[in-house]
Amino acid sequence: MRWILAISTISTAIAAGAPPAAVTQLLDGYAAAGAPAPDAARGAALWAREFPSAEGVRSCTSCHPADLAKAGRHATTGEPIEPMTAAGRLTDPAKIEKWFGRNCRWTMGRECTPGEKADTLAFLVGGGR
Amino acid sequence: MTGSMLSWMLALTLALASEDHHEREGHEREDHDDDEDDDEGGGGAVVTPATDPLWQAECGSCHLAYSPGLLPARSWDGLLSSLDRHFGEDASVAPEVRARLAAIAAAGAAERSTAPLSKAIVRSSIGITPARLFDVPYLAHEHDEVSFRGATAPRPSACAACHSQAASGRFSESEIRRPAPVRAPVAPVPVPAPVPTPVPKP
């Protein structure tokens, strides 16, 4: 089972091209912090998962569509958000960490674990496929 | 001298240089504005636009990168000190980014600018610390006939939905891109009669 997961993760990465150096660097850090092997399927499930909050149900898809190739819209300001697959995304580790911080707290009401971040990155670099 | 002191002084120097630049821009704009009639025509509805790339990137990812000249420095202090609770959003930034944004805000805040709209905002904000643009009585008054309710109405934060040149710091009525949705007339709310304060008997 582990092998199948590993192979599917690798083939997903190949399909989308090699992950940006920023992603590799962050994944190494998450692994060092105890994250299990990144799993795009778990990342996809987390992306769609709904979390209750005082202001209503929240999820990643409150702002980013489930189809990562489509543009999103800021839930509060209505400002357009570039597709997660847009060129230049996932190339700056500090920026990725900044948005994980803000968006995990907004969506889930807590920080993401290293494992959740690793799974989400695996999902995002695969382009959602 | 420590490294952090050095970098702080550098930031201050940059901030002052940028302020000088803004001041000059403001003067030019104001000189130009003298030809216009008055604020009502919109010619005076001008602020020095936000041009700093860091300000643009950090503030502009969720809403218009508002010019620092749209609020007094004390308002920016409050906003930048509570980015983790930013109108219901978590907009926190790294401490070093926050410090740079604070320097930009301090240098370009409304009271440091000679742009006409900034001066109007300063005059209107005496004695208060507006937390948002529509807390400035002048700006609230200018928008008192605009409806921000309903699915198709613009969000109050989205200046550019109506002000086509908002990103360039221009908010004149002549550059409004579409008729602002006008609020339906509201029946005046009856003012309750003042309750007399009971005078304590000796």
Side-chain angles (χ1 to χ4, degrees), chain A residues 25-39:
Chain A
Q25 180 193 327
L26 286 173
L27 288 178
D28 288 349
Y30 300 147
D39 182 338

Side-chain angles (χ1 to χ4, degrees), chain B residues 87-111:
Chain B
F87 305 113
E89 304 289 310
D90 187 324
S92 41
V93 295
E96 60 272 20
V97 173
R98 201 204 80 84
R100 287 174 62 195
L101 293 176
I104 295 165
E111 59 268 64

Side-chain angles (χ1 to χ4, degrees), chain A residues 58 74-81 98-99 101-103 105-106, chain B residues 58 60-64 87-93 155 157-158:
Chain A
R58 292 177 169 183
H74 192 285
T76 306
T77 66
E79 197 74 8
I81 300 174
K98 176 180 82 176
W99 284 105
R102 292 174 171 182
N103 292 351
R105 289 190 290 269
W106 185 86
Chain B
E58 292 297 339
S61 49
C62 299
H63 54 62
L64 176 76
F87 305 113
E89 304 289 310
D90 187 324
S92 41
V93 295
R155 313 284 172 106
S157 60

Side-chain angles (χ1 to χ4, degrees), chain A:
Chain A
M1 187 59 186
R2 270 188 103 83
W3 270 107
I4 295 167
L5 278 180
I7 290 165
S8 78
T9 305
I10 291 165
S11 58
T12 306
I14 290 168
V23 171
T24 314
Q25 180 193 327
L26 286 173
L27 288 178
D28 288 349
Y30 300 147
D39 182 338
R42 275 201 308 260
L46 184 61
W47 194 259
R49 195 167 141 200
E50 296 185 329
F51 298 87
S53 86
E55 287 80 29
V57 170
R58 292 177 169 183
S59 83
C60 299
T61 56
S62 299
C63 299
H64 306 285
D67 180 350
L68 299 181
K70 288 197 173 142
R73 190 163 284 277
H74 192 285
T76 306
T77 66
E79 197 74 8
I81 300 174
E82 273 199 317
M84 293 310 295
T85 54
R89 284 263 194 207
L90 308 178
T91 54
D92 177 355
K95 191 173 175 183
I96 297 170
E97 272 294 308
K98 176 180 82 176
W99 284 105
F100 267 142
R102 292 174 171 182
N103 292 351
C104 292
R105 289 190 290 269
W106 185 86
T107 310
M108 310 161 72
R110 62 166 174 81
E111 305 287 338
C112 284
T113 65
E116 287 167 338
K117 292 187 202 177
D119 292 343
T120 304
L121 279 185
F123 170 63
L124 294 177
V125 294
R129 283 174 295 276

